[in-house]
Amino acid sequence: MNGSNRPRALWASRFGFVLAAAGSAIGLGNIWKFPYITGQHGGGAFVLVYLACIALVGVPILMAELLIGRQGRRDAVGSFVVLERPRSPWMLVGWVGVTASFILLSFYAVVAGWSFDYVVMAARGVLQDRSPVEIEALFGALVSSPVRVIFWQGLFIVTTVAIVLGGVRGGIERCSRILMPALFVLLLLLFGRGLLSAGGVPALRFMFQADFSALSPQALLDALGHAFFTLSLGAGTMITYASYLDPEADLGGLALRIALLDTFMALLAALTIFSVAFAAGIEPGSGPGLVFQTLPILLLELPFGSVLTLLFFLLLAFAALSSSISMLEVTVAYLVDEKTWPRWRYRAGGGCGFSGRFTQCPVFQPLAGV
Ligand code: PFF
């Protein structure tokens, strides 16, 4: 049994789709991971290899995934049934996507939860007037406190669920229309501030002057792996999102726009972080702690440092949220399409809540729509 005969939600516009798909692509991978792996692999040459992987491998696979979704008009598993036949071995690809996105969400929510915690710490001024050693220790205290980590991870997941419950248009698209422009403005602000600092020119040099002697085989593998991760490939996300597209959509143009936006934001984030690092005379190869340990120390040394720190962690939280909703949507679409589950359970006469009708719930009214 499947839900293929039920009316399917569509994006309100192609622009809305681009925002949602770019929202999926632009996430912790761009702002947290890309800068630190670029730092570890020595900058320019790695960036060139990464750009080649995006153009030669990422974009063609992105187009293929969009095509499967648009033609199949079902979830990541069901699209292969439509395009091939029931029980086709290709369904395995869809299954891998559903499983991968679900597992990914559990780890993603942990790091995203850290960024929620940092937003609150920055807003409360906890990071101010601290020595670098104390700021580094704050990160250690956070990750070694199960209560704090689970609380923020839980809150992040609840927020993700609330948005996905709103449906394709009323939840995901509406949210992306707010989160993506906000993300762009925040990043541009921080980028402008970073570039004006003494580290601006060294950061540009580090990112765009290629020294191929610094490249290792591991760098090539990391660039390729990251091209998949950053474009949300192989996780059923792009298949699922494209299944809500109108059948006439031009996939080449859409794929290019998504990849360009994603690459632009990654380069901007890395340049921002490296300018701040170079301004403080720090080498950018400090690994995964770069964003949570090194960056706050450096940002707080700049004028309006506490505002910049707050903006940066808000940026990280927004980026994570627009990606996590896409991960959850893969599983939700599978359950709705293949198992005929309603997105929101309805019980006649039920009140608001899990047994009530979502669109009647005043709390979620602003998000409801589809
Ligand atoms: N593209 C996201 C990032 O760069 O952070 C990560 C991601 C999102 C991977 C959604 C896979 C996915 F399905």
Side-chain angles (χ1 to χ4, degrees), residues 24-25 27-30 104 108 229-230 232 235 237 323 326-327:
S24 167
L28 296 175
N30 301 58
L104 208 57
Y108 210 76
F229 184 75
T230 195
S232 310
T237 324
S323 295
S326 72
M327 292 177 199

Side-chain angles (χ1 to χ4, degrees), residues 61-357:
I61 296 181
L62 175 58
M63 282 169 67
E65 290 203 5
L66 296 184
L67 183 66
I68 293 167
R70 191 195 63 180
Q71 297 306 105
R73 301 180 68 79
R74 287 252 293 271
D75 62 291
V77 177
S79 287
F80 287 102
V81 175
V82 174
L83 297 177
E84 264 286 299
R85 57 186 157 78
R87 284 190 242 284
S88 150
W90 285 102
M91 284 168 70
L92 196 65
V93 177
W95 271 111
V96 169
V98 174
T99 315
S101 57
F102 198 74
I103 294 175
L104 208 57
L105 179 60
S106 55
F107 116 79
Y108 210 76
V110 175
V111 183
W114 298 346
S115 63
F116 272 23
D117 191 290
Y118 269 73
V119 168
V120 175
M121 280 206 279
R124 288 176 51 217
V126 175
L127 300 165
Q128 259 166 312
D129 303 322
R130 300 232 181 214
S131 68
V133 176
E134 283 175 324
I135 292 189
E136 279 183 5
L138 283 176
F139 181 68
L142 165 64
V143 295
S144 55
S145 160
V147 175
R148 265 168 82 189
V149 172
I150 292 172
F151 173 77
W152 290 115
Q153 179 189 12
L155 191 71
F156 181 80
I157 290 185
V158 168
T159 314
T160 305
V161 168
I163 296 170
V164 171
L165 273 177
V168 174
R169 262 190 215 186
I172 300 174
E173 186 172 349
R174 192 178 292 188
C175 224
S176 306
R177 281 177 184 271
I178 300 167
L179 289 181
M180 296 317 289
L183 201 73
F184 190 67
V185 171
L186 286 181
L187 192 53
L188 271 187
L189 267 178
L190 289 166
F191 171 69
R193 184 65 196 85
L195 209 64
L196 289 180
S197 72
V201 175
L204 283 169
R205 216 175 283 136
F206 181 74
M207 287 278 292
F208 298 117
Q209 246 177 27
D211 167 15
F212 284 94
S213 65
L215 267 191
S216 60
Q218 186 59 41
L220 302 183
L221 272 182
D222 282 356
L224 187 61
H226 190 63
F228 273 82
F229 184 75
T230 195
L231 292 176
S232 310
L233 300 176
T237 324
M238 292 300 171
I239 298 181
T240 307
Y241 271 16
S243 73
Y244 306 123
L245 269 174
D246 63 289
E248 268 85 53
D250 155 36
L251 298 182
L254 293 176
L256 266 185
R257 260 168 257 178
I258 297 165
L260 282 176
L261 278 173
D262 181 71
T263 307
F264 180 68
M265 295 292 262
L267 294 178
L268 223 56
L271 275 172
T272 307
I273 291 172
F274 294 147
S275 351
V276 177
F278 281 124
I282 287 184
E283 284 304 310
S286 62
L290 182 66
V291 157
F292 288 100
Q293 290 179 293
T294 318
L295 199 71
I297 301 174
L298 309 179
L299 281 175
L300 285 162
E301 283 171 6
L302 296 175
F304 304 109
S306 45
V307 179
L308 293 176
T309 313
L310 176 62
L311 289 183
F312 179 79
F313 286 107
L314 264 181
L315 171 80
L316 204 59
F318 283 180
L321 198 56
S322 60
S323 295
S324 67
I325 53 183
S326 72
M327 292 177 199
L328 185 58
E329 180 61 20
V330 177
T331 306
V332 169
Y334 169 74
L335 294 173
V336 170
D337 285 350
E338 303 307 308
K339 304 288 172 200
T340 63
W341 284 25
R343 188 175 285 264
W344 181 262
R345 251 172 223 290
Y346 174 69
R347 199 178 59 202
C352 182
F354 275 101
S355 60
R357 189 169 158 76

